[in-house]
Amino acid sequence: MTQSESPISTTNRESYDRWAELYDGYVNSTVAIDDLYFPPVYAHLSGLRVLDIGCGTGRHTIRLARAGNRVTGIDLSPGMLAVAREKLSSLDVALIEGDILTAPPPGPFDAVVTALVLEHINDPAVFFARVADLLTPGGGFYISEIHPDRIAGGTQANFVDRDGRAVKLQSFAHSEADIRATASQAGLRLLTHTDVFGGEALAGLNRDWIRHVGRAMIRIWTFEKPAGP
Ligand SMILES: C[S@@+](CC[C@H](N)C(=O)[O-])C[C@H]1O[C@@H](n2cnc3c(N)ncnc32)[C@H](O)[C@@H]1O
């Protein structure tokens, strides 16, 4: 555990360090559907200072940087960041090892993006407050997460390691009401929330995922830090 890290973050850092070498090649329907439907939501961001929270191996960071943004990625896991660093070596991206809850990077940012991280956040009130502090007035906050109904049903981030052992990450179920209330308390205004369902695009990637057709897989929220008082 580092000085500014909670025990939960330490456990997840160690698990993501183990997942890092496999992550980009890992067959995971949640990552696949996020990869199809989240990028269009932030595709208009260009020429901005953007923070990618829990950037992992840089799946979204690379898109944001190629769109001409000055991107900062923060992540707990040095293993995940090492993969990102290699992929992003030709781009002007700042990658920071740290816990967004206890050691946020210096801001401000015009937009904040986070994918598949909220489930690991034990204290959403602190999380949204950090984001609100870091955002410029008028800035947008874009979140993609495992759908709350799946999380309530027991779905959480997990993988099988090189030795065939199933590893579950530490996760927390946040209700829609909690997310809205804590974001609102932090001064963020909800603009949109969209449920993304499994369909032909997902099943076309892997026929096993036909079982997800018609199922709410992820939810995407967009928030704004209001520009005026
Ligand atoms: C499922 S991965 C998602 C990575 C990337 N956003 C993506 O969508 O491919 C979750 C990432 O969040 C990071 N993470 C979890 N809790 C964090 C925290 N409190 N602060 C910073 N990063 C965190 C983990 O280390 C991990 O890399």
Side-chain angles (χ1 to χ4, degrees), residues 25-37 59 63 197-213 217:
Y26 207 77
V27 181
N28 178 318
S29 55
T30 301
V31 172
I33 199 159
D34 170 272
D35 214 55
L36 287 170
Y37 293 100
R59 210 162 49 84
R63 289 182 170 97
F197 291 82
E200 269 313 306
L202 184 67
L205 296 174
N206 181 331
R207 290 321 283 175
D208 282 351
W209 295 342
I210 207 141
R211 68 182 191 278
H212 295 312
V213 171
M217 296 293 288

Side-chain angles (χ1 to χ4, degrees), residues 3-17:
Q3 253 183 348
S4 59
E5 201 176 75
S6 71
I8 292 149
S9 295
T10 303
T11 306
N12 277 338
R13 176 168 50 76
E14 289 165 359
S15 298
Y16 273 109
D17 278 348

Side-chain angles (χ1 to χ4, degrees), residues 62-161:
I62 197 165
R63 289 182 170 97
L64 289 160
R66 284 186 177 148
N69 297 294
R70 274 166 291 149
V71 190
T72 299
I74 181 167
D75 202 284
L76 280 180
S77 157
M80 296 289 273
L81 286 170
V83 177
R85 225 164 252 125
E86 206 162 293
K87 280 200 304 215
L88 300 169
S89 59
S90 62
L91 293 163
D92 185 18
V93 170
L95 294 174
I96 299 173
E97 183 187 325
D99 183 340
I100 189 64
L101 298 177
T102 56
F109 296 95
D110 306 304
V112 177
V113 168
T114 193
L116 311 180
V117 177
L118 190 57
E119 67 163 305
H120 300 311
I121 299 296
N122 63 333
D123 192 338
V126 172
F127 180 70
F128 282 108
R130 292 277 176 274
V131 171
D133 282 349
L134 290 167
L135 267 178
T136 51
F141 181 29
Y142 305 82
I143 306 177
S144 171
E145 187 49 82
I146 299 175
H147 194 278
D149 291 351
R150 290 175 68 213
I151 291 192
T155 300
Q156 63 181 96
N158 68 90
F159 69 103
V160 176
D161 73 9

